[in-house]
Each structure stands twice: as structure tokens, then as C-alpha cells.
Amino acid sequence: MNLQHLRYLVEVEKIGSITKAASALFMGQPNLSKAIKEIENEMGIVIFKRSARGVVPTVKGAEFLEYAKAVLVQIEKMEKLYKTVSTETVSFSISIPRASYITQVFTQFLNKLDPSKRLDVRLKETNSMEAINNIIECEYNLGIIRYDELYEEYFLSLLNEKKIKYRVLCEFKYMVIVSKNHPLANSKSVSTEELSIYTEVTHGDNSVPYLSDSYVNNHTSDRNRIYVCERGSQFDILTSVDNTYMWVSPLPEQVLKRYNLVQIPCHSDLAKVKDVFIYPQTYKFTEYDAMFLDELENTISKLFH
């Protein structure tokens, strides 16, 4: 088995057909089938189940393919590292929750980079489960996940199982943001009961256990809701659509002013939420990772304390 064989397997999984994968790989279907069979014999497992519709990984096959993709990603990173002069390239990647304070940190980080260097920078806003998978599958080097403290045991157990290191960045209770023209805009604090007559704007891809049952029951059950995945659109809706609100982590003052919003504490008994920094157990931090973290910790110290 060699790297090319791993590429064959990943291509077959992606396409779901040995015949079509062979065409994409510019090789004969019998040769590809033979290569797969040889790998299966060598590993002592069946990697793909064949059917009239094509092929799908078996349970053991899916596990094997996860390792195969991780190996290929690492090889690609090694090639990038040594085929280009590292001092000429800024390489940085992170998955984050949809949090304005983190994107503000990211823009500050970008402004500090040397404009003469080539940028290979990736930022992905997503939910916590996908951020963890991005680390597991070696697609992103760093991540920040957000979870209700009621789910802490679940998440920490998952991170330990997947050999992902972590540290808590901050903990807080969700705030409510509304337009300055909202009926509740001048309130010192609000309750979930007061919010029940208004429409909630919420992320469109939250999935259990990303939000706790208590949060779902207290804030979304039998309520009017608008599901939006893109954060800029969420702010536009809050600004322009009467009687809408959203639950968020504390927002920087600049963001509130930009979108003509106000944030209000909630005096209901809400569980705390934590933002947690994650990275692979064997990962070696770069100077750019350290630069981003310094910027992040400075912002958190001002915003959350």
C-alpha cells in the first residue's frame, strides 16, 4: 500500500462509484478494483460495500478512510511547507462560532500581518461539532467551540477521546440584542417571558448537543423564529425588521454602533456558556497562531471582565 492507493480509496468514497472514480483517475476500472481488493486483503477488512447503486464505506472502511484522509492532508502540508520558503508565506486556519468579538480579533490580526508576504489564511464560521470534525480531519489547524456548561462533560470527553487539546477562553451568559428602535431597547434587563411576543433570529445550523435542552425549551419552543446561517444577514434583519431579537455572546461596542443595535442582559436563570480554544494534541504553534491568540486574549480581557 502506498500514498497513491490512499488517493484511490478517497476518490472512490467521494464519487461513490468505482467505475466513475476510475474514469476520474484516468485508469481502467479493473485495475482500480484490483487495487482496492489488494488493500482490503492487506488490511484484513472490507472497505467498501458494493451495490447496484455504487459503493459505500463499511464501518471499518469509514474508520480506515478517516485515517487515510488525515495522512494525505499531512503529506500535503509537508509538501507546502518544504516546497515554499516558510518565511514568505503566512499560513493560518481556524474554525470559530459565529461570534462578533472573534471576527473583530481576526480583522485586527490581519491588519498586523506583513502585506509583502503571501497569505494562506482560512476562517470558517460554523457550529461546535463541525469545528471539532475540522480538527479531526486535519482541515483546520485551530478551532474555537462554544457550548452550554450543561454539555461540558460531553464535549470534554469527546475532545479527550479524539486527542484534541483545549483550554477555556471565557464564560458568559447570553445577551439579547435588538435594534435601537425595538420596544425593549431601553430596558435594563429582560426576561424570557418578555421576549415571548417577539420573533427570534437564530443560527440555521445549530444541532444537539450544540445547544442544551434548557436553552431550546426556554428560548425557541413555540416561538416565532427566523433561521439564518450568515451572521451579516442576521444583523441586517435585526436592524430592519421590527420586533426581532437574537441571543449572542457579548458584542464589541463598535459592532453595536455599526448596526444600530443595543445589547441587554437577561435576568432569567440561564446556564453559562463557554468558548473553548481547541487544537490537535501534536500540533506545533506558529508565530501567527501566537499572534492571533495574543490578540484574542487581549480582546477577551476587555470585553468579558
Side-chain angles (χ1 to χ4, degrees), residues 180-192:
K180 285 186 176 180
N181 299 320
H182 194 281
L184 298 176
N186 294 320
S187 302
K188 298 290 185 182
S189 65
V190 295
S191 66
T192 53

Side-chain angles (χ1 to χ4, degrees), residues 46-234:
V46 175
I47 298 175
F48 294 110
K49 290 187 293 187
R50 280 76 168 173
S51 71
R53 295 184 177 182
V55 295
V56 294
T58 62
V59 173
K60 285 288 185 182
E63 182 181 48
F64 179 85
L65 286 163
E66 184 177 310
Y67 283 111
K69 285 183 279 189
V71 168
L72 292 174
V73 168
Q74 291 298 329
I75 292 296
E76 183 181 348
K77 287 182 177 180
M78 289 173 63
E79 290 174 344
K80 285 183 178 179
L81 180 64
Y82 295 108
K83 284 183 178 178
T84 59
V85 180
S86 60
T87 55
E88 296 301 320
T89 301
V90 176
S91 183
F92 178 84
S93 63
I94 188 168
S95 301
I96 65 171
R98 294 179 180 87
S100 294
Y101 84 90
I102 303 177
T103 53
Q104 179 174 300
V105 167
F106 185 70
T107 58
Q108 293 167 349
F109 162 72
L110 291 177
N111 284 329
K112 290 186 175 182
L113 298 177
D114 185 343
S116 68
K117 294 188 175 182
R118 188 178 73 86
L119 295 184
D120 180 13
V121 176
R122 291 179 295 144
L123 173 78
K124 183 172 187 178
E125 292 188 340
T126 187
N127 63 52
S128 295
M129 298 307 294
E130 185 172 353
I132 292 172
N133 285 332
N134 287 341
I135 295 287
I136 294 171
E137 296 175 2
C138 303
E139 293 183 3
Y140 286 76
N141 293 329
L142 309 174
I144 298 174
I145 63 172
R146 172 172 293 176
Y147 57 75
D148 188 305
E149 65 179 355
L150 297 176
Y151 277 99
E152 183 161 58
E153 183 178 353
Y154 170 87
F155 276 103
L156 297 190
S157 175
L158 177 61
L159 294 175
N160 287 325
E161 176 189 339
K162 299 300 182 180
K163 294 181 171 54
I164 296 175
K165 286 193 173 183
Y166 57 86
R167 62 185 175 90
V168 176
L169 293 170
C170 56
E171 58 181 58
F172 55 90
K173 290 189 176 182
Y174 278 118
M175 307 280 282
V176 173
I177 53 171
V178 297
S179 164
K180 285 186 176 180
N181 299 320
H182 194 281
L184 298 176
N186 294 320
S187 302
K188 298 290 185 182
S189 65
V190 295
S191 66
T192 53
E193 289 74 20
E194 289 176 285
L195 293 169
S196 63
I197 62 173
Y198 301 109
T199 299
E200 180 186 8
V201 179
T202 188
H203 298 310
D205 64 346
N206 288 336
S207 59
V208 175
Y210 181 56
L211 289 179
S212 72
D213 292 337
S214 64
Y215 179 86
V216 173
N217 292 335
N218 286 336
H219 305 109
T220 63
S221 181
D222 299 324
R223 305 280 174 91
N224 292 325
R225 286 161 291 181
I226 302 172
Y227 294 97
V228 185
C229 288
E230 202 278 313
R231 190 163 41 84
S233 298
Q234 293 168 347

